[in-house]
Structure formats: C-alpha cells, structure tokens
Amino acid sequence: MIILKGTTMDTDMYQQRPRTRTRPSRYIPRRYIIISLMAICLFISYSLRVIISVAIIPMATDQGWDDHTKGLVFSCFYWGYIWSQVPGGFYAKKYGGKPVILYGILASSILTIMTPFCATSLPLFIVVRVLFGLAQGVTFPTIYYLGGQWLTSNEKSRGMSLVSSGVSIGTICTLGIGSYVLYYWTWPTLFYSIGFMGFLWCLVWYFVASSTPLEYYEHGSVFKMSEVEYDHIVNNQIHDVSDNDSIPWRNIVTHPAVIALISNHCIHNYGFYILLSWLPTYMEKELNFNIKEAGYYSILPYILLFIIANMGGFLSDYLLKRKVELLTIRQIMQSSGLLFQSLFLYLITRNPTIGQSILYFTLSIGLTGLCQSGYACSSLDLSPKYTGIIWGISNTVSTVPGIVGVYLTGRLLDYTGSFSPVFLLTACINIVGTIIWLFFAEATPVDFDYNTERLRL
C-alpha cells in the first residue's frame, strides 16, 4: 500500500513520536548533513577506485605488464563488484543503510592500504582487487536506499545529483593530485593516503549518521534534528507501508521500466568505465603526455561532469516545478547525455589535433552528467520501497561492462594498436540505449506488490 504525502494515514503512521523539539535559529537541516556525508562517501569511494587508473602507468613499468595485463587488472575489480550489488540493497533495507555502507568503505580502505604489499605477485594482486570490488559493491545500492529515506519528493533530482557529484570530485582530485604524487613520489604513497582518508570518513559517519530520519530524530546524533524538519521530510515523501516483507523479484525484473533502467545503466557504464580506466593511458600513448600531464588533462572531463550533473539536477527540479512532465525531463536528460557522448567520441576518431582531442574528451565525458537526472533517478521514481533493491539489481548487471568492456579494450589495443574501434563501438551502443530509453522508460511510482499497477501522484 502506498501512502501519499499529506494524507491522514500518513500523519497517523509516521508522526507518532514525542513533540519536544522545535527548529532553532541558524539551523542547518540535518538531511543536508547526511546528503553531504553521502557525497563525501562517493568521493572517497571513487578516490579508492580511480587510484589504479593513474598508478597503473608506473606499476606496469615496474612489473612489465602489457596492455592485455593492464586490461585484466582493471577488469578484476568488477569480478568482485558484481556480486555484492543486490546483497547491498537487500541488507540496507533489512538492517539500515548506515552499517552497510560503513563496513563497505572500511573494508575498501583496509584493502587499499594492503595493495602495495601485494603488487609484486600478480595472482595475489588480483585477489586483493576482487575483494576490493566486493567491498565497494554495496556502496551505490545503499546510497540510493539512503537517498530514498532522506530526500523529499521534490528534492530527488537535485539531491542525488549533488550526492553523485562526489564521483566527479573524487575522480578529479585523484587524477590531479594523484598524478602529482606519482610524478614526485612513489605510487604506494597514493594508496596509503587515500586509504587513510577512508578511515577518517568511517569515523565521522559512525558518530553523525543514521539510516532514517525517524532513527535520527528519536535516538539523536552529534547533531539533533528539529521537529519542524522531521515533519517536513515525512509530509513530503511517498511512504510505502505494505505489510508484505517479501520481495517481488519477478515483478521487479520483468517490468519494462526496470529493464529500460538496467539497459541504460549498462550502456552508460560501458562508456564511463572504459574512459575512466583508459583515458590516462590514451593520453600517454596517443598524445605523448608524461604522467603528470596525463593526470592533469584527465581531470578536465570530470570537472565538467561535476558542473553538468548539478546543473542538470537543478534544471530538472526547476522544470518539474514549471509543470513539465517528469517522464519528459528524464527522457531529455538521458538521451542528451548519451547522444552527446556518441558525437564527440566519433569526432575523436577523425584525427583531431591535440587541443581538439582534449576538448572532445572533456565534452564526451562531461555531458554524460545529464544522465544523473535520467536513468540515475529512475529507481527513486519507480519505487521508494524497493529503491535499494532495484538499484542493486541494476548496478549488478551494469557491472558486466566493467568486466567485459575494460578487458576488451586491452585486447583491441593489442590487436589493432588504435583506440578508434573502441570509441566507435561505444558511440553505437549509446545510440541503442537512447532508443530503448525513449520507448520504455517511466517516471511514475509502480506498486510492485500488487500486480505492478501504476499509481500516479
């Protein structure tokens, strides 16, 4: 049963708690603190992940790895990552998002610090990377579950765009600062420093965060929540209070809108993972940049990605307030992000100058930030109750491009010696994704517990 905002049942079922606190002056909304910590979490998560993209250059030189082996090293992270997506969403729903994401980042940080000690043995290094992927896999399903708990209905696009910007900022800082560290110091220093950052975040998250607004309000934290804010969150969300605790897996995975979400998530990730992993190598090999230059120029796309993702979120919420249909907004954002990337990847294959190559790469990655207001918000649109489960399924399947695409790129480079086939294949896949999204995407809540009947606000 879905309870809509402002109804009597909504008030009765969700506001039975002591009314003792009012909102003080100069009050910082506690959901903003949680959202900020979630953004920092993705900053840390992607910093931990992206280290390998720049560290692989000196590591490959030290260990004598060819492009095939580098592709294997990039790919093995996803061997573990794929298995913890659905469990991450399931355990977040069962035990709360706070402990699940805490243990995930803590384990990731420990494994990151262990990495330099294992790099001399390729089999051992691969095992550590697989375990690291397993620990990282719970991050996104849990983040989206927490977003569904803490964000009001009219804050979803803007809020999740801000949270997702942690990915861009983490990538920017790691590629930029990381290339500097690698140029003047050694690559193990990078793993130790970012692993330590992960420990610091875990400490703050443990003392400050809660899994839900109700838990935060009743049991408190370092910062107390006002009654005014609690009422605001509760009265501006869609609450699902069904007594059915079982998960309707078949209804979820066979729904056309979920299939459209999963397919577009896969297609977005195919291009994102390939460029994230191989861009510094491309700049070193094709543009003849040294490691510091490759790192610096590699951050430009992610600066634009951060800007575009947040602009897209604010624009989406603005258009929604102007009564533009939510589905239309999702279609415009997702399709624009994929098609712009296809265009600029095609232009890169036309023998551009160095300046044009940098521009095209920046635009091809940066403009996909629009997708953060497309497919990335879809699980929140479709089901507040099963957001974590849906995102867990989607992120599981969309890990396959990380396994296949990143490894396939290494093989193609060994066979052809050129990045052009890689970029053209990605451009074509994006066009297919756009067609699927335009025909099958939805943006209205789905009651998966009751014959997938669509319920409109």
Side-chain angles (χ1 to χ4, degrees), residues 1-2 93 240 242 244-262 378-391 393 440 442-455:
M1 178 170 57
I2 302 237
K93 183 176 183 297
D240 195 320
S242 171
N244 182 15
D245 290 329
S246 62
I247 298 172
W249 296 101
R250 182 177 179 180
N251 289 353
I252 291 173
V253 300
T254 59
H255 196 281
V258 175
I259 294 172
L261 163 61
I262 293 172
S378 185
S379 63
L380 294 170
D381 296 333
L382 294 176
S383 176
K385 179 178 181 180
Y386 296 116
T387 292
I389 299 295
I390 293 171
W391 191 259
I393 296 170
F440 297 107
E442 295 185 26
T444 49
V446 175
D447 186 357
F448 290 106
D449 291 317
Y450 297 96
N451 301 319
T452 67
E453 177 187 358
R454 294 191 303 176
L455 302 178

Side-chain angles (χ1 to χ4, degrees), residues 402-446:
I403 298 172
V404 177
V406 173
Y407 176 75
L408 178 63
T409 299
R411 299 292 289 182
L412 285 173
L413 290 175
D414 273 345
Y415 286 135
T416 67
S418 171
F419 277 89
S420 292
V422 177
F423 299 150
L424 290 174
L425 177 61
T426 304
C428 292
I429 290 173
N430 283 354
I431 293 171
V432 174
T434 300
I435 294 171
I436 294 172
W437 187 256
L438 291 175
F439 277 95
F440 297 107
E442 295 185 26
T444 49
V446 175

Side-chain angles (χ1 to χ4, degrees), residues 142-161:
T142 309
I143 284 289
Y144 274 81
Y145 178 80
L146 287 166
Q149 299 298 309
W150 281 92
L151 291 169
T152 60
S153 299
N154 63 352
E155 293 175 332
K156 287 187 297 186
S157 295
R158 183 169 68 255
M160 291 314 297
S161 292

Side-chain angles (χ1 to χ4, degrees), residues 22-30 224-227 229:
T22 57
R23 180 169 176 160
S25 60
R26 302 181 66 180
Y27 176 84
I28 300 174
R30 300 317 184 220
K224 304 300 181 182
M225 177 183 283
S226 72
E227 179 182 333
E229 183 182 8

